Amino acid sequence: MIGLLCLDLGTSSVKAALIDLGGRTLAVGSAAYATTSLPGGGEEQEPEDWLRAARTAIGQATTAGIEVAALCLTGQMQDLVLEGGHGALRPAVLYTDQRAAPDSQQLRTALAAEGTDWDAATGNRQDPSSCAAMFRRLARTEPEATARAHGLTFGPAGHLAARLGAGLWCDLTTASTTGLLDATTRDWHPGVARAAGLDPALLPRLTRGHGQMVGRTDARARDLLGLEVGVPIVLAPGDAGAAALGVTGTAPGKDHASLGTSGWIASIRPRGTGPDPAPFNPASHRLALGEDELLISAVLAGGAAAAWARDAYLGGMDAQAADALLAERERNRGRGPTGLLVLPSLGGERFPVRDDALRGAVLGLHAGTGPAELYAGTLEGVALALSHALDPARAGEELTVVGGGAASAPWRRILADVTGRTVRSLFAPGADATLLGTAIAGAEALGLGHAIAPLAERKGELTAPDPAAVQAFAALRPAHRALYDAAARIGELAARA
């Protein structure tokens, strides 16, 4: 029997899974690593910690009698790694690092002077987390390090591939997050590199397709990861792309929602398809995924907002007890809006607006408002925030939902009523969409016949919308969207006071 050894090197840990060509997970492993927080908003990790954690996770996921057909890699995106001759020259700068704010603005100004709109050229709104801005900051503050760099990688998956002898590579999905990729040509943008003070020769090669074999493990593999020499290395899309493949597969056209700690709407769409509301919202992320495009609209607090509301309103009640409270309320009052409009923004927001200063809001309180209404209103607020990324004209389509929040039947009903879509719940403990998508990418890159099915092909549990509730929420959606702008203005006035 053969299996694909899949690694997801995430923000705080690496997860490993050995997945056979039928889609069965044969063994799993995981190991954590630390993040170092620095003054001024700095966030860094040691690439050597990535390798140590990967070796631990692989050791846990190794199963006797299973031939490893390939090592398939994905992970966090938009990190900056300066590669030397024998590893990273300094700690990796993470996508959460905010120290490059002045460099980001200077880069934008320099590009504008040349007639280039940075956001338009890259297809995404750029900010201090852009790898181009990060490099410009390092070139200014640590010129000796950037001068010694042999090349760059943009996340732990690319770094690990390089350490195993594959050379310098970046998948297109990750490249879309760096602020350095030309959205039209899907090659590195020479003007942005020049404005960042970055020699284009340092940039890694770009993969094509949903995944690409970029090399084979060399003699270092045994010491670094405990793997044999000659194992094919497949660089899958970065974690957001791999997760999308794992939920809905490689074919475009299906939206899915995630109700994890954060929340998002994601959809794989043919590149350059016609209009709908989300592509025109610059708060959405547009990422290359194979020949298609992955559109992601991410709300910072999804499950985190629900957990906060249980603590704040329900005295720390657990999720199951809170669900029972909402079910009782629904039996007494029926489905439909609470009458509250809630912005679930606990500390800044990413969609439907990008505003690091935005704070949450609750509108519509009255004397009869109780804890259950406040909790239900928070769940409505998350669902309404996500709904701003969906095309109302496609309300008849199913919406697949994953993540821990998908276990909540009342929240699924709220999401169905807010979006007008039948919700297919894929809350499946032990099923990891990112690792599954990495396996799909690996099997297809190697041309292996396989039956690895995405989660959306599982039966799941269907939750139909209530027609009256759908109409009521549709009437509230414009007011909910307008509340973001009103809250931002109030916040500005308060800051001046």
Side-chain angles (χ1 to χ4, degrees):
M1 181 183 293
I2 66 173
L4 298 165
L5 180 57
C6 302
L7 291 187
D8 173 16
L9 295 117
T11 301
S12 59
S13 66
V14 57
K15 294 181 290 183
L18 190 63
I19 299 175
D20 73 13
L21 297 181
R24 293 179 301 166
T25 299
L26 305 175
V28 297
S30 65
Y33 34 77
T35 297
T36 301
S37 297
L38 299 165
E43 297 281 324
E44 296 183 345
Q45 287 177 350
E46 288 289 348
E48 290 301 314
D49 290 346
W50 296 339
L51 269 71
R52 282 191 287 269
R55 183 182 179 103
T56 298
I58 287 172
Q60 295 169 358
T62 300
T63 299
I66 305 297
E67 176 188 352
V68 175
L71 175 65
C72 306
L73 304 173
T74 187
Q76 58 177 305
M77 306 183 292
Q78 202 176 333
D79 302 336
L80 179 63
V81 188
L82 301 186
E83 300 287 355
H86 303 285
L89 297 175
R90 67 176 310 286
V93 184
L94 299 191
Y95 66 96
T96 49
D97 194 292
Q98 294 296 309
R99 289 175 291 177
D103 303 275
S104 173
Q105 186 55 53
Q106 291 162 11
L107 200 158
R108 182 179 297 280
T109 301
L111 288 169
E114 298 177 357
T116 299
D117 182 312
W118 191 16
D119 297 343
T122 57
N124 288 289
R125 181 181 292 180
Q126 301 301 330
D127 59 29
S129 65
S130 157
C131 293
M134 291 177 184
F135 185 90
R136 186 183 174 103
R137 184 188 70 82
L138 285 183
R140 173 172 55 82
T141 61
E142 301 179 33
E144 71 290 346
T146 55
R148 290 168 51 214
H150 290 204
L152 305 176
T153 54
F154 295 113
H159 175 73
L160 186 56
R163 292 294 300 274
L164 294 173
L168 302 180
W169 288 90
C170 183
D171 68 276
L172 272 179
T173 305
T174 296
S176 299
T177 70
T178 64
L180 286 157
L181 190 75
D182 186 318
T184 301
T185 65
R186 290 192 168 182
D187 286 316
W188 298 118
H189 194 295
V192 176
R194 183 173 58 252
L198 195 166
D199 181 351
L202 295 175
L203 292 168
R205 287 176 287 180
L206 292 165
T207 66
R208 304 295 171 178
H210 292 115
Q212 182 175 325
M213 179 179 161
V214 295
R216 292 179 180 271
T217 56
D218 65 10
R220 293 170 287 183
R222 186 180 298 277
D223 289 338
L224 290 174
L225 298 181
L227 293 176
E228 298 298 325
V229 174
V231 176
I233 302 168
V234 174
L235 193 57
D239 55 6
L245 296 181
V247 174
T248 59
T250 59
K254 290 183 179 179
D255 297 320
H256 78 268
S258 175
L259 293 175
T261 301
S262 58
W264 66 77
I265 296 289
S267 179
I268 303 173
R269 305 176 183 215
R271 189 179 178 191
T273 50
D276 74 25
F280 295 109
N281 187 335
S284 296
H285 300 274
R286 300 179 72 166
L287 309 179
L289 183 61
E291 295 301 316
D292 299 313
E293 180 177 82
L294 175 63
L295 187 72
I296 300 179
S297 304
V299 175
L300 279 182
W308 172 85
R310 288 194 298 273
D311 286 339
Y313 302 140
L314 302 180
M317 187 180 290
D318 65 31
Q320 292 73 28
D323 279 352
L325 184 67
L326 293 188
E328 177 63 25
R329 179 183 177 278
E330 193 176 301
R331 283 191 292 271
N332 294 332
R333 302 189 182 188
R335 289 166 68 167
T338 58
L340 302 174
L341 285 180
V342 176
L343 299 190
S345 305
L346 301 179
E349 194 49 272
R350 284 294 176 267
F351 187 85
V353 298
R354 285 202 203 178
D355 185 345
D356 291 337
L358 189 72
R359 296 297 181 261
V362 180
L363 186 67
L365 295 171
H366 58 85
T369 303
E373 284 71 32
L374 288 163
Y375 180 59
T378 302
L379 303 190
E380 290 175 359
V382 174
L384 282 162
L386 295 173
S387 77
H388 299 307
L390 295 171
D391 182 357
R394 297 171 60 191
E397 299 178 9
E398 279 188 7
L399 180 65
T400 299
V401 59
V402 296
S408 167
W411 205 354
R412 295 198 302 269
R413 289 192 289 272
I414 289 170
L415 187 63
D417 293 343
V418 168
T419 63
R421 298 192 181 199
T422 296
V423 167
R424 180 182 292 274
S425 167
L426 292 176
F427 179 75
D432 188 294
T434 304
L435 289 169
L436 190 63
T438 303
I440 291 171
E444 298 200 355
L446 296 172
L448 300 175
H450 71 92
I452 307 173
L455 293 177
E457 294 184 11
R458 301 185 181 191
K459 288 184 178 181
E461 184 174 341
L462 297 180
T463 302
D466 178 84
V470 169
Q471 286 189 335
F473 278 115
L476 288 176
R477 191 172 296 112
H480 185 265
R481 176 62 185 83
L483 187 56
Y484 283 93
D485 301 323
R489 288 195 297 272
I490 292 169
E492 291 171 1
L493 291 172
R496 294 175 194 161

